[in-house]
Amino acid sequence: MILQADPPSWPDVLSAVSTFAAAIAAGGAWWAASKSNSTAEKSNELADIVKTIEQRRWHSELHPHFEVRCVPEHGDRVELRIQLLRPLALDKLTIRASIRDDWPDRAPVTAGEPTQEQIDTTIWGPYRFADSADGANKIGRIVAPFELAMGDGRPFSLTPTMYPRWTTPEIWADRYKGTRIRLALHCTHPDYAPWVVHEEVSVD
């Protein structure tokens, strides 16, 4: 004998339909929330990218500009003059000036002299900051940080570089006769990322 199940009652049907509808609604709500979160995340990422681009553009527009001159002083000394010209939006900068070598990242080419230590403690250029003047370090490569207000300048005294012991004064002087002084000006401002400005100047 075949048993036949009783057809579902209307209350059961309505309950099942209600449960199914609730599941669909819950799924729709989850999908909408997920999509909203994804859209918000993408919007935040885009906003961060735009902010970074704008900060870099603004930082580039604020890149400091200097007038750098070098004039004879007395004897074999020369005076280096550094003046902050623009942009006017920068009211004042803290600057750390250093002398760059003519050949960055120089390394030994023989087993003898110069060694890497000797290379690193030699200024490969025509001039150095005068001993102890303006807080110059021992070899005269760098001076103590100083402040410049917009439009102001600062003089520094330079002397010829010391020839290293593996060469002669004549060879060293001839090597750098008439060459330009290469400077790096590390500039900082409390409101912005730092800048590094490279300058080259000849003795007038």
Side-chain angles (χ1 to χ4, degrees):
M1 181 176 65
I2 300 175
L3 298 178
Q4 186 174 1
D6 294 333
S9 64
W10 278 109
D12 292 339
V13 172
L14 292 176
S15 178
V17 170
S18 177
T19 301
F20 181 68
I24 292 178
W30 174 84
W31 180 83
S34 177
K35 184 177 180 181
S36 177
N37 290 338
S38 177
T39 301
E41 289 176 0
K42 290 181 179 179
S43 178
N44 290 337
E45 289 177 0
L46 180 60
D48 290 341
I49 292 174
V50 172
K51 182 180 179 180
T52 299
I53 293 174
E54 184 65 15
Q55 287 176 339
R56 289 178 178 175
R57 181 189 67 81
W58 183 239
H59 186 262
S60 178
E61 290 182 356
L62 289 176
H63 193 276
H65 292 264
F66 297 88
E67 180 181 64
V68 182
R69 294 187 59 195
C70 204
V71 297
E73 194 175 21
H74 56 81
D76 57 1
R77 289 182 174 242
V78 298
E79 183 183 79
L80 174 71
R81 300 172 182 171
I82 301 174
Q83 182 181 11
L84 179 59
L85 297 181
R86 60 184 190 277
L88 298 180
L90 296 176
D91 54 342
K92 182 185 293 185
L93 288 177
T94 299
I95 302 167
R96 182 168 56 87
S98 61
I99 295 178
R100 297 184 292 140
D101 292 332
D102 59 353
W103 179 6
D105 302 321
R106 184 182 263 102
V109 294
T110 65
E113 294 183 324
T115 65
Q116 188 63 58
E117 182 180 2
Q118 290 172 323
I119 290 173
D120 294 340
T121 55
T122 298
I123 297 179
W124 301 80
Y127 288 94
R128 65 188 182 96
F129 290 106
D131 292 343
S132 72
D134 303 302
N137 67 346
K138 185 176 180 180
I139 66 172
R141 180 179 296 281
I142 193 170
V143 290
F146 59 95
E147 288 189 345
L148 274 185
M150 186 58 58
D152 287 351
R154 172 75 181 268
F156 297 90
S157 184
L158 305 182
T159 59
T161 52
M162 297 178 291
Y163 70 94
R165 69 181 190 180
W166 61 85
T167 186
T168 66
E170 294 77 19
I171 292 176
W172 190 256
D174 185 65
R175 174 174 187 158
Y176 290 111
K177 182 179 180 180
T179 59
R180 297 165 70 86
I181 303 167
R182 306 175 79 238
L183 298 171
L185 305 176
H186 300 258
C187 309
T188 57
H189 189 283
D191 297 333
Y192 306 101
W195 299 267
V196 179
V197 181
H198 288 172
E199 298 279 357
E200 293 191 14
V201 58
S202 299
V203 179
D204 292 346

